[in-house]
Amino acid sequence: MPKHCVTLLTDYGLEDGFVAACHGVIASICPPARIIDITHLVPPGDVRRGAALMAQTVPYLPAGVHVAVVDPGVGTRRRAIAVAAGDRVFVGPDNGVLSWAAAGADVRAWELTERELWVEPVSATFHGRDIFAPVAAHIAAGRDVATAGSEIDPAGLVRLPPPNRTVRDGTAEGEVVTVDRFGNVQLSLTDADLDAIGARCGGTLTVTLGRHSLRMAYGETFGSVPPGELVAYTDATGRVALAVNSGDAAQRLGLPPGAHVRLAVAD
């Protein structure tokens, strides 16, 4: 059955014609395709950021073909793959960018080797246009993903380790997963983790960043505190995040992706 929705997530940016070229290839092969741009502003080469954004966005997207191209190894021996998970097919490089979204018990995978589906000649540096976009378009048009290449064992795919997350002895420790354009700092912790340590919305948390600790309100939203004040809250994905009302928490706290944060109920 055709899957006329194709989504794109890349680190291509918006200054050049890379995204338009991918759109053009998809539209040429599958004119009815509805193309949804997740984002093209993943920091260059940041596979982990791309994986997080894909995994957090896909549950709200229609069933279809989901392409992720954050590919610092383009043109090397890394594999090009398609992964079927339920009613979704994921297409991209085998570098972990698909691993958090394309997960589950009933997963099948293929290495993309059927050159008939590619745009020739294939550029060594633009597999998004020449391999991933056309393969996705053919699948969207109704082509069986199994004909796109050779089936491989999903257990052998590159997988990113999950973000650190530990709850014990009245503390919840996690890491920064993403920082959005507003400077809000998303942690690997969930609202259930804070509930497990006795934190309640409207209370106060002790937040430890390396050797430094500070107190922070635990509110429902940014406006739970006055402008310029820090607040911890549960974001739209169910994860705990740190923010500044009308400000940039990542800049103020010096928290890049991967930084460790420990939370506890303030005394």
Side-chain angles (χ1 to χ4, degrees):
M1 294 292 292
K3 301 176 182 292
H4 284 158
C5 177
V6 179
T7 73
L8 295 173
L9 178 149
T10 77
D11 59 355
Y12 289 161
L14 300 175
E15 296 86 356
D16 303 296
F18 304 137
V19 174
C22 293
H23 273 248
V25 167
I26 295 167
S28 297
I29 295 170
C30 183
R34 178 187 180 192
I35 304 173
I36 298 176
D37 294 296
I38 298 175
T39 182
H40 299 290
L41 298 177
V42 175
D46 192 340
V47 174
R48 197 172 179 86
R49 168 77 167 175
L53 291 174
M54 177 64 87
Q56 292 175 18
T57 306
V58 158
Y60 304 96
L61 299 174
V65 188
H66 307 287
V67 180
V69 192
V70 182
D71 193 15
V74 62
T76 67
R77 293 176 63 86
R78 70 95 184 91
R79 296 181 293 189
I81 58 172
V83 181
D87 57 1
R88 304 178 187 277
V89 175
F90 297 86
V91 175
D94 184 20
N95 62 4
V97 70
L98 302 176
S99 62
W100 291 348
D106 186 22
V107 171
R108 297 177 66 189
W110 295 264
E111 182 175 2
L112 303 181
T113 56
E114 180 51 71
R115 297 187 71 99
E116 174 194 335
L117 305 183
W118 302 359
V119 171
E120 299 283 2
V122 174
S123 166
T125 59
F126 201 177
H127 287 186
R129 178 195 66 192
D130 298 337
I131 299 178
F132 302 129
V135 168
H138 282 292
I139 296 170
R143 179 101 178 205
D144 188 343
V145 63
T147 67
S150 305
E151 189 160 11
I152 55 178
D153 185 352
L157 298 177
V158 174
R159 299 182 184 279
L160 299 179
N164 293 317
R165 176 170 159 252
T166 305
V167 178
R168 63 186 176 198
D169 300 329
T171 64
E173 184 168 356
E175 66 176 89
V176 177
V177 178
T178 67
V179 175
D180 69 19
R181 68 184 300 269
F182 300 103
N184 302 322
V185 178
Q186 183 192 71
L187 306 180
S188 55
L189 300 169
T190 67
D191 55 352
D193 296 328
L194 290 194
D195 187 64
I197 64 171
R200 298 291 180 266
C201 197
T204 305
L205 298 172
T206 297
V207 181
T208 302
L209 318 169
R211 298 181 180 180
H212 305 286
S213 295
L214 66 157
R215 293 167 65 91
M216 189 179 303
Y218 178 27
E220 290 186 354
T221 186
F222 316 111
S224 298
V225 296
E229 294 295 318
L230 285 157
V231 62
Y233 68 102
T234 300
D235 73 9
T237 71
R239 291 168 179 81
V240 178
L242 311 180
V244 173
N245 185 4
S246 303
D248 187 321
Q251 184 177 58
R252 181 182 298 189
L253 299 174
L255 286 177
H260 285 258
V261 178
R262 187 167 67 251
L263 305 180
V265 176
D267 295 332

